Amino acid sequence: MLPLNATIVRIDEESPSVRTFFFDFQFETMKPGQFVMVWVRGVDEVPMGLSSKNSITVQKVGEATSKLFELKEGNSFGLRGPFGKGFSLPSEGEKTLVIAGGVGAAPLAPYAEAARSAGSEVHTVLGARSADDLLFEKFFAETGEISISTDDGSKGTKGFVTDVLNSLDLSVYDKIAVCGPEIMMASVFRLLEDRKVLERSEFSLHRYFKCGIGVCGACCIDKSGLRVCRDGPVFSGVQLLNSELGKYTRDASGRRVKI
Ligand SMILES: Cc1cc2nc3c(=O)[nH]c(=O)nc-3n(C[C@H](O)[C@H](O)[C@H](O)COP(=O)(O)OP(=O)(O)OC[C@H]3O[C@@H](n4cnc5c(N)ncnc54)[C@H](O)[C@@H]3O)c2cc1C
């Protein structure tokens, strides 16, 4: 598949290190949780979750994302996709818990919206380092109830999303969707397992991708060998039992890197 040329039509500054880039066409069939391969010309091609039908929300961490941050309205990048398996939607009347940490909020914003449109009551637990780093707070508040945690206590509960989850009765939720830094997702995973609600959960994983279409095997996870790009990036909690989640990831050469 050749990349489509996406021209930037708007850039929103979400936080000091995160921007949303809106482009000039929509992926009409996209399912929340699916990703696109973003070709930053002359630098690299990197995976990004879709934060809406026509946007990606990017955290500046390295070479490709820094180059994206240099782009202005009218500039363009290439896009292949959407790829992968998204989050499964609740049925009408079911209750949904969305657990988002940092830039992990990006694919969960369209999910919360779609869950509400499907007739589900949505509760979002949104975590970030500080109040300035909270993503899509207003958007999540418009889709239902919201609880906030910040590491430094500048807004909501001081601590992690798990500190908020500790005070909730998790048995009332039919669907639990999680995306965030892997350390956070591993803590949430253990908590959901302890509370015996893991089978209702889905997690979106970040791994190093080369092809993005299930051919190269760079993103296979232990022990199942499931490919994050094709079989995921969204996996059920049960699929991730006894997996590498929270333990290690792999770099471009396939070497294990401790999380
Ligand atoms: C399915 C999927 C969806 C993603 N969605 C988003 C998204 O919506 N928004 C977003 O900002 N990012 C997202 N990412 C992560 C994004 O692909 C990486 O941050 C990006 O590849 C970094 O490229 P870079 O060249 O800027 O950084 P590099 O120069 O490659 O790396 C710079 C530093 O960032 C670290 N890093 C690189 N990749 C990751 C990662 N995946 N997680 C944590 N640290 C990393 C490296 O270890 C290094 O320390 C997603 C990844 C996957 C697999």
Side-chain angles (χ1 to χ4, degrees):
M1 179 193 262
L2 288 173
L4 298 167
N5 188 63
T7 301
I8 300 168
V9 292
R10 196 176 104 205
I11 301 174
D12 285 358
E13 189 105 24
E14 308 288 1
S15 80
S17 64
V18 177
R19 287 183 190 163
T20 298
F21 297 84
F22 291 88
F23 41 85
D24 61 340
F25 59 87
Q26 307 224 349
F27 287 109
E28 292 298 346
T29 59
M30 95 53 158
K31 295 192 179 67
Q34 284 192 304
F35 68 93
V36 283
M37 292 300 288
V38 182
W39 175 32
V40 188
R41 293 187 180 89
V43 183
D44 202 355
E45 195 188 32
V46 292
M48 291 283 158
L50 283 162
S51 54
S52 75
K53 286 180 176 172
N54 67 327
S55 66
I56 51 170
T57 297
V58 181
Q59 181 164 39
K60 188 176 167 184
V61 292
E63 221 189 332
T65 49
S66 297
K67 187 72 189 172
L68 272 172
F69 267 52
E70 289 173 15
L71 302 181
K72 310 269 179 265
E73 282 177 26
N75 293 155
S76 66
F77 43 75
L79 286 181
R80 287 192 293 134
F83 295 132
K85 192 175 145 283
F87 290 100
S88 49
L89 281 175
S91 305
E92 189 171 358
E94 286 192 332
K95 286 192 170 193
T96 303
L97 181 63
V98 169
I99 306 170
V103 78
L108 288 173
Y111 177 70
E113 189 181 36
R116 193 198 50 177
S117 298
S120 175
E121 211 177 288
V122 180
H123 183 175
T124 300
V125 178
L126 180 64
R129 286 196 183 136
S130 73
D132 285 346
D133 297 306
L134 287 164
L135 293 186
F136 306 123
E137 181 187 346
K138 189 162 168 274
F139 187 92
F140 283 118
E142 282 165 9
T143 65
E145 193 182 344
I146 184 168
S147 307
I148 286 172
S149 71
T150 50
D151 300 4
D152 65 359
S154 48
K155 190 150 189 185
T157 302
K158 184 176 187 321
F160 304 123
V161 288
T162 41
D163 294 308
V164 175
L165 297 175
N166 277 331
S167 64
L168 298 181
D169 175 5
L170 299 179
S171 68
V172 303
Y173 300 102
D174 304 285
K175 291 258 185 281
I176 304 176
V178 192
C179 189
E182 191 142 331
I183 297 271
M184 171 214 127
M185 291 206 291
S187 305
V188 171
F189 185 94
R190 287 191 292 272
L191 192 145
L192 300 186
E193 205 179 2
D194 284 351
R195 302 273 201 96
K196 304 202 178 345
V197 291
L198 193 65
E199 72 283 356
R200 303 173 194 190
S201 67
E202 289 181 325
F203 293 76
S204 179
L205 257 59
H206 283 188
R207 282 293 177 274
Y208 181 82
F209 283 9
K210 283 181 184 164
C211 70
I213 53 171
V215 176
C216 75
C219 64
C220 289
I221 51 168
D222 291 338
K223 298 177 178 165
S224 61
L226 288 168
R227 298 157 299 178
V228 175
C229 71
R230 190 68 181 243
D231 305 311
V234 177
F235 294 99
S236 70
V238 173
Q239 279 178 304
L240 295 172
L241 274 166
N242 304 315
S243 73
E244 64 184 48
L245 176 79
K247 298 182 188 112
Y248 57 87
T249 179
R250 287 181 194 273
D251 66 15
S253 63
R255 242 191 323 260
R256 286 185 186 184
V257 181
K258 210 167 168 274
I259 285 179

